[in-house]
Amino acid sequence: MPVPLDTTGKASFDDIYDRPDPREYYARMSQLDYRIPDLAKPFFEQQIREYRASARVATPTVLDIGCSYGVNAALLRFDTGIGELAAHYRDAADADRDRLIARDRARLAERDHHPDVRFVGIDAARPALDYARAAGLLHDTVHADLESADPTDEQREVLAAADIVLSTGCIGYVTEKTLLRIATAHPRRRPWMAHFVLRMFDFDPMAEELAALGYRTERAPGLFQQRRFASADEQQRVLNTLSDKGIDTRGQEADGWLYAHLYLSRPGPKGRA
């Protein structure tokens, strides 16, 4: 069956975020060699180390935008890779949701590689959030679409606790509206940010809005593979978008992969924790 495309021209996987558990998510992503969380993991670990040293916070709070089933938290806390996680859920093909949750909780109880980090996720997909919270992968969750509305007072309280905000694929679906609502959740303190952004999306408008809040944004060296294209149609649509932006795709998207840049945004002296 053809993979539907969303308004950006990318393949739409909305259906896999509404499942009661992540088995279908990991199965579909494995087929496309999804790897951006693996590549992002050491950078996120570095952000945690540097934040703890800079702000002298013993237990920092990490907020993942578009966290789905708590993927980044799982990779960090289990100290594993996306392929191993896919196998972890594939091996439990006959288990029910409660059994999957029990397996994840038992694994965390046996060894959590980041026991001194608090992980929070925000997503518009309630079933994915509910699983991540029930499995213990996330300590708290925010079910919201900050593109369309301000957070509630309760949601703002959760968002205001964030020390580090990260994402691996949601920029382009969320814009500066979401980033600014998160950045200003606390009236006096601004979180650090690390976003992996596909080359088809322009982060400059977001960086400019963050700059108005006192942020300095830098693009890290290098390019990062996200996943293989889901169809020839998706590839052509993305290639057209990149061509319109004057971006050379030879050796990257033209060869069948989506590529991302890493943008690091940190507040200036007035906005530091």
Side-chain angles (χ1 to χ4, degrees):
M1 183 169 56
V3 179
L5 303 182
D6 60 28
T7 56
T8 70
K10 286 179 71 262
S12 174
F13 300 104
D14 288 350
D15 60 309
I16 62 177
Y17 299 108
D18 286 332
R19 306 298 173 90
D21 64 67
R23 280 176 287 197
E24 182 65 17
Y25 170 88
Y26 284 108
R28 295 271 288 278
M29 292 298 101
S30 291
Q31 293 171 359
L32 299 174
D33 291 326
Y34 183 57
R35 61 183 57 179
I36 196 72
D38 283 338
L39 301 177
K41 180 183 169 187
F43 291 94
F44 292 160
E45 290 177 325
Q46 181 181 7
Q47 293 299 298
I48 292 169
R49 289 193 301 270
E50 291 182 2
Y51 186 89
R52 183 178 282 119
S54 174
R56 299 181 182 178
V57 173
T59 306
T61 294
V62 172
L63 172 67
D64 186 1
I65 307 176
C67 63
S68 68
Y69 295 93
V71 178
N72 287 314
L75 263 64
L76 289 163
R77 298 182 70 187
F78 290 151
D79 190 25
T80 189
I82 200 84
E84 194 278 336
L85 267 186
H88 168 73
Y89 290 107
R90 186 171 59 248
D91 292 344
D94 296 329
D96 61 17
R97 181 176 184 271
D98 289 342
R99 177 58 182 157
L100 288 179
I101 289 171
R103 290 171 80 240
D104 285 346
R105 284 192 166 274
R107 185 172 179 177
L108 280 174
E110 181 179 352
R111 186 172 186 188
D112 182 352
H113 288 263
H114 285 279
D116 51 356
V117 178
R118 185 170 174 269
F119 290 91
V120 178
I122 178 171
D123 205 293
R126 168 72 79 178
L129 281 179
D130 287 348
Y131 182 88
R133 182 73 180 273
L137 299 172
L138 298 175
H139 299 92
D140 208 346
T141 58
V142 174
H143 177 234
D145 177 4
L146 299 185
E147 288 295 295
S148 60
D150 287 327
T152 65
D153 290 343
E154 182 180 3
Q155 292 169 343
R156 184 176 288 106
E157 184 177 355
V158 175
L159 298 173
D163 297 305
I164 302 169
V165 177
L166 54 86
S167 70
T168 51
C170 69
I171 301 298
Y173 302 104
V174 306
T175 68
E176 60 271 15
K177 293 178 182 178
T178 292
L179 296 191
L180 294 182
R181 283 169 169 153
I182 291 173
T184 59
H186 194 288
R188 297 177 301 278
R189 187 171 61 85
R190 306 282 185 245
W192 291 13
M193 295 193 178
H195 301 293
F196 284 82
V197 183
L198 290 176
R199 296 208 300 165
M200 63 185 293
F201 299 123
D202 186 3
F203 193 72
D204 286 348
M206 303 181 208
E208 291 174 4
E209 294 286 350
L210 291 173
L213 295 177
Y215 279 89
R216 303 181 308 276
T217 296
E218 296 181 356
R219 194 176 80 184
L223 285 172
F224 303 87
Q225 289 180 325
Q226 192 207 47
R227 62 166 171 81
R228 295 186 183 276
F229 286 106
S231 67
D233 191 16
E234 181 190 31
Q235 182 177 15
Q236 191 57 57
R237 290 279 297 275
V238 171
L239 289 175
N240 291 343
T241 296
L242 292 169
S243 177
D244 290 344
K245 294 176 179 290
I247 297 174
D248 185 358
T249 62
R250 290 175 297 179
Q252 282 96 39
E253 291 86 357
D255 287 353
W257 288 85
L258 285 157
Y259 278 82
H261 286 295
L262 169 58
Y263 292 89
L264 302 171
S265 301
R266 294 187 181 182
K270 293 183 179 179
R272 283 187 181 162

